Amino acid sequence: MTQKKTKPTPSPRSKNPPPQNSDFPIVGLGASAGGLEAFEQFFRHAQPDSGMAFVLVSHLDPSHASILTEILQRITTMPVVEAQDQMHVMPNQVYVIPPNRDMTIFHGALQLSIPAMPHGQRMPIDAFLRSLAEDQAEKASGIIFSGTGTDGTLGLRAILGAGGITLAQEPTTAKFDGMPVSAIQAGYVSHILPVEKMPAMLSTGLRTLIQQQPIPQIALSGINRILQQLRISTGHDFSLYKKSTITRRIQRRMSQNNTEDTDSYARFLKENPSEIKSLFKELLINVTNFFRDQEAFVALKQDILPTLLADKPDNYIFRVWVAGCATGEEAYSIAIVLRELIDEYRYVFKVQLYSTDLAEDTITTARAGYYPPNIAQDVTPERLRRFFIKEDAGYRVKKEIREMVVFAVQNVIKDPPFTKLDLLSCRNLMIYLEPELQNRLIPAFHYALKPGGVLFLSPSEGIGNHTELFAPLNRKWKFYRATPTTASTRAMLTSNLNWTTEPAHKTPEDIIKTVKDANLAELTRRMLLQFYAPTSVVTDIKGNILYVYGETGKYLRPAPGHATLNMVDMAREGLQLELRSAVSAAVQGTQTLSRELSVKTNDDFHPVLLCIRALSNPNDQQNLLLVSFQELTHPTSSKSGRTKRSSKPNELRHIEELERELAYTKENLQATIEEQYASNEELKCTNEEMQSTNEELQSTNEELETSKEELQSINEELVTVNFELQAKIAQLADMQNDMKNLLDNIHVGTIFLDQQLIIRRFTRDAAQIYRLVASDVGRVLSDIKPELEGEDLLDVAHAVLDNLVPIEREVKTVNGNCYLARIQPYRTLDNMIDGVVLTFTNITERTRAIAVQEARLLAESIVDTVREPLIVLNDELKVVTASRSFYQHFKVTAEETVGRPLYELSKGQWNISALHELLEAVLSHNQAFDNYQVEHHFPTIGHRKMQLNARRIIGRTGEPQLILLAIENIVDQA
């Protein structure tokens, strides 16, 4: 491909100054497996003078030299270079990440570093895109092409939050759709396009962002109308957000909807309610990550929190509020640090961590506690292993951390704050607010904190003029201690923060009525349960108690030994046996089961109605049992009393026997129970062993997961290398076709031999010298008989291999063709000798031409030397040349003679039939004639009597070439 001339690029290692005009967009392009085709397609449609710089980050094999630069340079006329450390990015150029390097950008210069691990958890695309967003803000753009995994998702999130443009390849056009789908599902993609449409979209969108002019007053009024519609629809007021941020994001939505002015966009919002949701989502800055500003969290753990926790009593409730938590990473980071300190110093207190944000979508994501694998770049491996559960497509926060955090939707400007806080974190929220609103929030934060509580801000934020409310603890990372003062309360009372807890349209009568109705319903339910509902417990199918209603002391008591909540183990005497069988029957399918039993309580037996019902848990597939105990009363009549007194002695003996049998049965039952306890202990030991085995398997599974990630990373790198090699193979195939056509068209027979003179390949014309066919490749050349006369080129080839001096010689085939044979060494690109090359150039025509020329020169020499008139004829009896004496005697010129037939000379004066027969005999029968006398009258010189002699001139090729005709004894006649 012909390239345009460009200005020479300064050496990457030189300290080249940054460009004078740095106001140009920088586009980061990320791809993994299958990305080479997308790169090629993108740069085929990209304008070389777009004014943008392109930085390519791909998953490359760390041990394999990349040829991506070479491949792309054939596609585009822009300079394509491999990035080097401290290289300044220039417009209209393409930079490619080298293998086994991580890359970021700082002040427009590329920073390269060696990765800590070559495979596995590396996320080079995320790392570069996040640094690009931080360095270039709205001038940054990110594109995700084909690839597996989730690398690039968090990078697009950072660029979108900085106000840049994010694009993803249409998944149906990608060879591997993992990376584009991950970014799209996360909601961080501005446009989903086929690759060929991306350059035009970038040019349009970035031109709109870069060429922003100060907004005129009429445009500001349109923006105010837009914010008013947004406030009416969502209830959130963005009028005190920074106008530059609001305007930039509104303009981006206008660009995506092809709307040119704010008035048109305001009308578009009114007609399309769905666009209001999109604009609301656009205005919310949801950019965060785990342990953002690592050094700040180190200071929090080592300096701030130990001081806060040092004097807290046991069972203290440590209250934390994370305002503007976005998707929850900040809240979980603080929870992890607190958990580490609690475990390290063995603190005995509870943590109440409230995490709030304005958007319901982000709060839903935070509650799920599920994040892509890219977080491994921000969370250490130890914390990942301890506080996260590895799942197929990411990490989930463990239960112990999730239960520490309560997420809620809250507008920090409109809703009242949490109070009595020990720590309040509000990072990277106030930077998007106007100073007026910041001055209202700082007193609110002081009001929310306890005296001595800590306010945690981002490095770009501060407390402004409210120095009387806070004392600095760490100025670099913005930790402030709340001072004991009531100034914040006075400031809030005079501020315009509209904190409401009840909707404004509700009257006091409505509220009283609602409370009264709720109290009557609750009172009725409570009284019905108290007087009509029996004592009950809810258990699972194994009898483990899940919920208790009423006083169960008459029927259940703590079992001796290891503490348990199993209902059967806790049953009192007379109830345990029947309860076990009843539970078993209920589990086997009986929906309702009722039995009357005698239960021993306070050394006396009481009749009890046992009722068991099978329940279905609506929130779970687990079956439950409802076990009810209802005490029965049986009145005793006088008749029954008389019957007792009149009992016979034999009946008493029978009763005694039954009691002894019952006691024996109880002893056997007790033995069975003890055996059951022993079996349970054995089962517990087995369970512990199984738990230990499970832990080992879990550890093995984690190792396998790590190996799987490494193999996946290696597979992506191999796919990338494979695509590069396929492109190289296609290039070599084209070169091979070009070479074949070149050799076939120059008609030079060529034979390539290795060092053992074995045939590697040959051209078509070589078969005229050696009897070669396609199957002869791999055979020794000495096995092939040549078509040469007495020439042995094999010895010559051996000599060339020995002394490396090329040799040329002329050879002749048996059919009479002549060739110029050249034998020279075969040199590789590394200048190594790896055989010989034989070339044969057909010089037959040239040899014949030389022979003709030699004969002609000879004839001319003879003709010019002899004094008698001589002429030289060719095989067509045309005059080739004549001697000077011929011209003088016959008074003719060379122009009238040379090239003309003999019989046409001098107007047919030599058209003598006898002479004609003699010359034809010379040509056809190789005969000569001597002393042939001719008498003829020539008009120019008169009557002449001549004696003619003719001979044929034989050339080196053995074929007749010329006839020499001599004219002697010219006699003048009067």
Side-chain angles (χ1 to χ4, degrees), residues 503-519:
H505 62 274
K506 284 192 176 182
T507 63
E509 290 78 7
D510 294 334
I511 298 173
I512 293 172
K513 182 178 179 181
T514 303
V515 174
K516 182 185 292 185
D517 292 342
N519 289 340

PDB file of all heavy atoms in Angstrom, residues 503-519:
ATOM      1  N   PRO A 503     -45.386  12.899  52.786  1.00  0.00           N
ATOM      2  CA  PRO A 503     -45.846  13.652  51.628  1.00  0.00           C
ATOM      3  C   PRO A 503     -46.634  14.880  52.040  1.00  0.00           C
ATOM      4  O   PRO A 503     -47.401  14.865  52.994  1.00  0.00           O
ATOM      5  CB  PRO A 503     -46.717  12.638  50.879  1.00  0.00           C
ATOM      6  CG  PRO A 503     -46.239  11.303  51.355  1.00  0.00           C
ATOM      7  CD  PRO A 503     -45.794  11.501  52.761  1.00  0.00           C
ATOM      8  N   ALA A 504     -46.456  15.959  51.293  1.00  0.00           N
ATOM      9  CA  ALA A 504     -47.056  17.227  51.691  1.00  0.00           C
ATOM     10  C   ALA A 504     -48.574  17.214  51.592  1.00  0.00           C
ATOM     11  O   ALA A 504     -49.248  17.967  52.275  1.00  0.00           O
ATOM     12  CB  ALA A 504     -46.508  18.355  50.817  1.00  0.00           C
ATOM     13  N   HIS A 505     -49.146  16.332  50.771  1.00  0.00           N
ATOM     14  CA  HIS A 505     -50.582  16.393  50.560  1.00  0.00           C
ATOM     15  C   HIS A 505     -51.373  15.692  51.655  1.00  0.00           C
ATOM     16  O   HIS A 505     -52.581  15.730  51.654  1.00  0.00           O
ATOM     17  CB  HIS A 505     -50.916  15.780  49.197  1.00  0.00           C
ATOM     18  CG  HIS A 505     -50.543  14.329  49.109  1.00  0.00           C
ATOM     19  ND1 HIS A 505     -49.270  13.932  48.748  1.00  0.00           N
ATOM     20  CD2 HIS A 505     -51.262  13.218  49.356  1.00  0.00           C
ATOM     21  CE1 HIS A 505     -49.226  12.606  48.760  1.00  0.00           C
ATOM     22  NE2 HIS A 505     -50.409  12.152  49.118  1.00  0.00           N
ATOM     23  N   LYS A 506     -50.710  15.012  52.614  1.00  0.00           N
ATOM     24  CA  LYS A 506     -51.431  14.318  53.681  1.00  0.00           C
ATOM     25  C   LYS A 506     -51.760  15.279  54.817  1.00  0.00           C
ATOM     26  O   LYS A 506     -50.891  15.986  55.309  1.00  0.00           O
ATOM     27  CB  LYS A 506     -50.597  13.138  54.223  1.00  0.00           C
ATOM     28  CG  LYS A 506     -50.598  11.925  53.289  1.00  0.00           C
ATOM     29  CD  LYS A 506     -50.023  10.725  53.987  1.00  0.00           C
ATOM     30  CE  LYS A 506     -50.114   9.489  53.119  1.00  0.00           C
ATOM     31  NZ  LYS A 506     -49.607   8.303  53.811  1.00  0.00           N
ATOM     32  N   THR A 507     -53.010  15.244  55.287  1.00  0.00           N
ATOM     33  CA  THR A 507     -53.434  16.077  56.416  1.00  0.00           C
ATOM     34  C   THR A 507     -53.257  15.325  57.710  1.00  0.00           C
ATOM     35  O   THR A 507     -53.159  14.083  57.726  1.00  0.00           O
ATOM     36  CB  THR A 507     -54.915  16.457  56.248  1.00  0.00           C
ATOM     37  OG1 THR A 507     -55.699  15.254  56.278  1.00  0.00           O
ATOM     38  CG2 THR A 507     -55.141  17.176  54.920  1.00  0.00           C
ATOM     39  N   PRO A 508     -53.237  16.030  58.872  1.00  0.00           N
ATOM     40  CA  PRO A 508     -53.127  15.337  60.164  1.00  0.00           C
ATOM     41  C   PRO A 508     -54.271  14.367  60.391  1.00  0.00           C
ATOM     42  O   PRO A 508     -54.075  13.306  60.986  1.00  0.00           O
ATOM     43  CB  PRO A 508     -53.133  16.493  61.174  1.00  0.00           C
ATOM     44  CG  PRO A 508     -52.631  17.673  60.395  1.00  0.00           C
ATOM     45  CD  PRO A 508     -53.130  17.489  59.014  1.00  0.00           C
ATOM     46  N   GLU A 509     -55.482  14.694  59.919  1.00  0.00           N
ATOM     47  CA  GLU A 509     -56.613  13.777  60.122  1.00  0.00           C
ATOM     48  C   GLU A 509     -56.394  12.461  59.388  1.00  0.00           C
ATOM     49  O   GLU A 509     -56.704  11.379  59.912  1.00  0.00           O
ATOM     50  CB  GLU A 509     -57.908  14.449  59.624  1.00  0.00           C
ATOM     51  CG  GLU A 509     -58.394  15.613  60.471  1.00  0.00           C
ATOM     52  CD  GLU A 509     -57.593  16.881  60.205  1.00  0.00           C
ATOM     53  OE1 GLU A 509     -56.766  16.857  59.275  1.00  0.00           O
ATOM     54  OE2 GLU A 509     -57.778  17.873  60.941  1.00  0.00           O
ATOM     55  N   ASP A 510     -55.798  12.551  58.179  1.00  0.00           N
ATOM     56  CA  ASP A 510     -55.517  11.317  57.429  1.00  0.00           C
ATOM     57  C   ASP A 510     -54.519  10.454  58.165  1.00  0.00           C
ATOM     58  O   ASP A 510     -54.662   9.230  58.239  1.00  0.00           O
ATOM     59  CB  ASP A 510     -54.974  11.661  56.037  1.00  0.00           C
ATOM     60  CG  ASP A 510     -56.033  12.361  55.195  1.00  0.00           C
ATOM     61  OD1 ASP A 510     -57.228  12.132  55.465  1.00  0.00           O
ATOM     62  OD2 ASP A 510     -55.649  13.117  54.282  1.00  0.00           O
ATOM     63  N   ILE A 511     -53.478  11.091  58.720  1.00  0.00           N
ATOM     64  CA  ILE A 511     -52.464  10.324  59.428  1.00  0.00           C
ATOM     65  C   ILE A 511     -53.051   9.665  60.666  1.00  0.00           C
ATOM     66  O   ILE A 511     -52.794   8.487  60.945  1.00  0.00           O
ATOM     67  CB  ILE A 511     -51.281  11.247  59.804  1.00  0.00           C
ATOM     68  CG1 ILE A 511     -50.643  11.813  58.532  1.00  0.00           C
ATOM     69  CG2 ILE A 511     -50.263  10.516  60.632  1.00  0.00           C
ATOM     70  CD1 ILE A 511     -49.585  12.852  58.781  1.00  0.00           C
ATOM     71  N   ILE A 512     -53.902  10.410  61.448  1.00  0.00           N
ATOM     72  CA  ILE A 512     -54.512   9.838  62.660  1.00  0.00           C
ATOM     73  C   ILE A 512     -55.421   8.667  62.300  1.00  0.00           C
ATOM     74  O   ILE A 512     -55.414   7.613  62.946  1.00  0.00           O
ATOM     75  CB  ILE A 512     -55.285  10.928  63.423  1.00  0.00           C
ATOM     76  CG1 ILE A 512     -54.309  11.974  63.973  1.00  0.00           C
ATOM     77  CG2 ILE A 512     -56.111  10.331  64.550  1.00  0.00           C
ATOM     78  CD1 ILE A 512     -54.990  13.188  64.588  1.00  0.00           C
ATOM     79  N   LYS A 513     -56.184   8.816  61.233  1.00  0.00           N
ATOM     80  CA  LYS A 513     -57.091   7.751  60.819  1.00  0.00           C
ATOM     81  C   LYS A 513     -56.315   6.505  60.425  1.00  0.00           C
ATOM     82  O   LYS A 513     -56.681   5.384  60.769  1.00  0.00           O
ATOM     83  CB  LYS A 513     -57.944   8.244  59.645  1.00  0.00           C
ATOM     84  CG  LYS A 513     -58.970   7.216  59.178  1.00  0.00           C
ATOM     85  CD  LYS A 513     -59.813   7.787  58.058  1.00  0.00           C
ATOM     86  CE  LYS A 513     -60.819   6.730  57.575  1.00  0.00           C
ATOM     87  NZ  LYS A 513     -61.642   7.237  56.461  1.00  0.00           N
ATOM     88  N   THR A 514     -55.219   6.710  59.686  1.00  0.00           N
ATOM     89  CA  THR A 514     -54.406   5.563  59.269  1.00  0.00           C
ATOM     90  C   THR A 514     -53.836   4.825  60.474  1.00  0.00           C
ATOM     91  O   THR A 514     -53.860   3.594  60.553  1.00  0.00           O
ATOM     92  CB  THR A 514     -53.261   6.036  58.362  1.00  0.00           C
ATOM     93  OG1 THR A 514     -53.829   6.719  57.254  1.00  0.00           O
ATOM     94  CG2 THR A 514     -52.438   4.868  57.870  1.00  0.00           C
ATOM     95  N   VAL A 515     -53.336   5.587  61.448  1.00  0.00           N
ATOM     96  CA  VAL A 515     -52.772   4.966  62.653  1.00  0.00           C
ATOM     97  C   VAL A 515     -53.851   4.225  63.426  1.00  0.00           C
ATOM     98  O   VAL A 515     -53.650   3.123  63.925  1.00  0.00           O
ATOM     99  CB  VAL A 515     -52.094   6.041  63.526  1.00  0.00           C
ATOM    100  CG1 VAL A 515     -51.647   5.450  64.842  1.00  0.00           C
ATOM    101  CG2 VAL A 515     -50.918   6.644  62.780  1.00  0.00           C
ATOM    102  N   LYS A 516     -55.079   4.828  63.528  1.00  0.00           N
ATOM    103  CA  LYS A 516     -56.161   4.196  64.287  1.00  0.00           C
ATOM    104  C   LYS A 516     -56.559   2.872  63.633  1.00  0.00           C
ATOM    105  O   LYS A 516     -56.715   1.846  64.295  1.00  0.00           O
ATOM    106  CB  LYS A 516     -57.354   5.137  64.371  1.00  0.00           C
ATOM    107  CG  LYS A 516     -58.512   4.575  65.194  1.00  0.00           C
ATOM    108  CD  LYS A 516     -59.708   5.500  65.149  1.00  0.00           C
ATOM    109  CE  LYS A 516     -59.403   6.793  65.883  1.00  0.00           C
ATOM    110  NZ  LYS A 516     -60.602   7.663  65.959  1.00  0.00           N
ATOM    111  N   ASP A 517     -56.701   2.881  62.300  1.00  0.00           N
ATOM    112  CA  ASP A 517     -57.088   1.650  61.605  1.00  0.00           C
ATOM    113  C   ASP A 517     -56.033   0.569  61.789  1.00  0.00           C
ATOM    114  O   ASP A 517     -56.351  -0.600  62.032  1.00  0.00           O
ATOM    115  CB  ASP A 517     -57.284   1.937  60.119  1.00  0.00           C
ATOM    116  CG  ASP A 517     -58.501   2.830  59.881  1.00  0.00           C
ATOM    117  OD1 ASP A 517     -59.337   2.905  60.800  1.00  0.00           O
ATOM    118  OD2 ASP A 517     -58.577   3.435  58.784  1.00  0.00           O
ATOM    119  N   ALA A 518     -54.772   0.970  61.699  1.00  0.00           N
ATOM    120  CA  ALA A 518     -53.699  -0.017  61.858  1.00  0.00           C
ATOM    121  C   ALA A 518     -53.697  -0.586  63.268  1.00  0.00           C
ATOM    122  O   ALA A 518     -53.504  -1.792  63.473  1.00  0.00           O
ATOM    123  CB  ALA A 518     -52.349   0.629  61.534  1.00  0.00           C
ATOM    124  N   ASN A 519     -53.967   0.256  64.311  1.00  0.00           N
ATOM    125  CA  ASN A 519     -53.972  -0.240  65.688  1.00  0.00           C
ATOM    126  C   ASN A 519     -55.133  -1.201  65.941  1.00  0.00           C
ATOM    127  O   ASN A 519     -54.993  -2.205  66.651  1.00  0.00           O
ATOM    128  CB  ASN A 519     -54.063   0.941  66.650  1.00  0.00           C
ATOM    129  CG  ASN A 519     -52.763   1.746  66.666  1.00  0.00           C
ATOM    130  OD1 ASN A 519     -51.735   1.222  66.263  1.00  0.00           O
ATOM    131  ND2 ASN A 519     -52.825   2.985  67.106  1.00  0.00           N
TER     132      ASN A 519
END
